[in-house]
Amino acid sequence: MHLTEGPAGPVHWTDDGHGEPVVLLHGLGGDASFWEAERKALAERFRVIAIDLRGSGLTPTSAVGAGIDDLADDVAAVLADQALGSAHIVGFSMGGLVAQAFAVRHSESTDRLVLAATYAAMGAQSRLFLDAVLDVYSGGATPRQMFDLICPWLFSTDFLAEPANGVFLQYPEDDPLEQSLEDWRALYLAQQVFDGSAALSTITAPTLILAGDEDQLAPVREAEILARGIPGARLRTLRGGHLFNVEAPDTFLDAVRSHLVGEH
């Protein structure tokens, strides 16, 4: 178990492999375990650090708050704790917002950047959906009911139509790190108010943007905004919904790995 004292409290992270450091940042409702498959694969070539963002996994909520900039500074604290001058940063969904903020606030510590299933500012459709989710959750819905509500929106139509994929729609009954409503709300509201649009042009790290062609929460048009705003950024569209890393794991890993080693 690895803990770093961040600006406002302890930050938990996992450590796998050896080589150039790669930091993995998960999305809303997830934790470091979101990256289980990618950690193992990337650890064959890199030192892989997966961070539990505040209020997720084994990282407790901070009384100071959980703005996206705060989460980015937590990442910087982990790198400093490990005497790592810089690292590749891979952010998925909410983690993509943290990755953007890190690349802006800590540009000297950002080697290569991957922004997956994310955006510079939350779109109206995603906001309306997640606002409704928050209302239902606040009204007394159980975590299982919330899982059943959200999960179908994370995958593509074809993926959901395949009976064998039903396993991905099953609620994890034995999750010992189930996130509280309070922590989910705090992180969602941090996402809601984040707008990195004006700072995109200041990102200097070589950047790959990955989008799912059926992603309804972070549509391709949002990825195109990132690609236009970040100098030299490359955009690649993959088949799948929001969790295209689950739908097309090999394609996702190949794209990330190729970018991190400088291949095009």
Side-chain angles (χ1 to χ4, degrees):
M1 181 173 177
H2 302 281
L3 286 175
T4 289
E5 192 61 31
V11 179
H12 173 259
W13 47 280
T14 63
D15 197 358
D16 300 276
H18 302 279
E20 296 178 39
V22 178
V23 174
L24 305 180
L25 304 172
H26 62 82
L28 179 65
D31 55 36
S33 66
F34 172 83
W35 297 106
E36 184 174 357
E38 291 84 0
R39 281 168 51 193
K40 293 177 181 177
L42 292 173
E44 296 175 3
R45 183 160 187 168
F46 302 97
R47 179 183 178 186
V48 182
I49 296 172
I51 295 178
D52 282 337
L53 299 172
R54 293 189 198 182
S56 307
L58 293 172
T59 298
T61 304
S62 167
V64 176
I68 296 300
D69 286 349
D70 297 315
L71 302 182
D73 291 346
D74 288 344
V75 176
V78 172
L79 294 188
D81 179 51
Q82 292 298 293
L84 296 173
S86 61
H88 304 305
I89 309 294
V90 180
F92 200 101
S93 195
M94 178 183 73
L97 307 186
V98 180
Q100 290 174 59
F102 183 87
V104 171
R105 295 169 67 82
H106 306 280
S107 59
E108 72 289 347
S109 298
T110 310
D111 289 334
R112 287 179 171 268
L113 185 64
V114 178
L115 304 177
T118 194
Y119 43 77
M122 185 178 291
Q125 188 173 31
S126 295
R127 183 187 299 268
L128 289 170
F129 172 68
L130 291 172
D131 280 349
V133 167
L134 179 57
D135 285 344
V136 172
Y137 206 173
S138 301
T142 66
R144 177 168 189 157
Q145 289 171 323
M146 297 311 302
F147 179 91
D148 291 342
L149 172 63
I150 296 171
C151 203
W153 294 92
L154 303 180
F155 299 102
S156 68
T157 302
D158 288 345
F159 188 82
L160 291 173
E162 177 56 53
N165 293 330
V167 64
F168 295 102
L169 302 177
Q170 295 176 4
Y171 180 70
E173 298 281 0
D174 57 349
D175 183 2
L177 301 175
E178 187 173 82
Q179 189 174 45
S180 70
L181 165 61
E182 291 73 20
D183 288 337
W184 191 93
R185 179 194 290 116
L187 289 172
Y188 167 57
L189 294 179
Q191 282 186 256
Q192 188 189 79
V193 301
F194 177 82
D195 188 347
S197 305
L200 293 178
S201 63
T202 70
I203 294 177
T204 57
T207 302
L208 172 67
I209 299 160
L210 298 174
D213 62 358
E214 288 192 44
D215 190 342
Q216 299 184 67
L217 296 181
V220 174
R221 64 178 178 274
E222 305 292 348
E224 292 171 343
I225 292 172
L226 290 171
R228 290 195 298 268
I230 300 173
R234 295 186 301 117
L235 170 60
R236 182 172 175 183
T237 302
L238 307 182
R239 295 188 63 181
H242 192 60
L243 296 185
F244 52 78
N245 64 316
V246 174
E247 296 194 40
D250 293 338
T251 304
F252 174 74
L253 266 171
D254 287 345
V256 171
R257 194 160 32 209
S258 295
H259 179 67
L260 297 185
V261 299
E263 296 175 355
H264 297 288

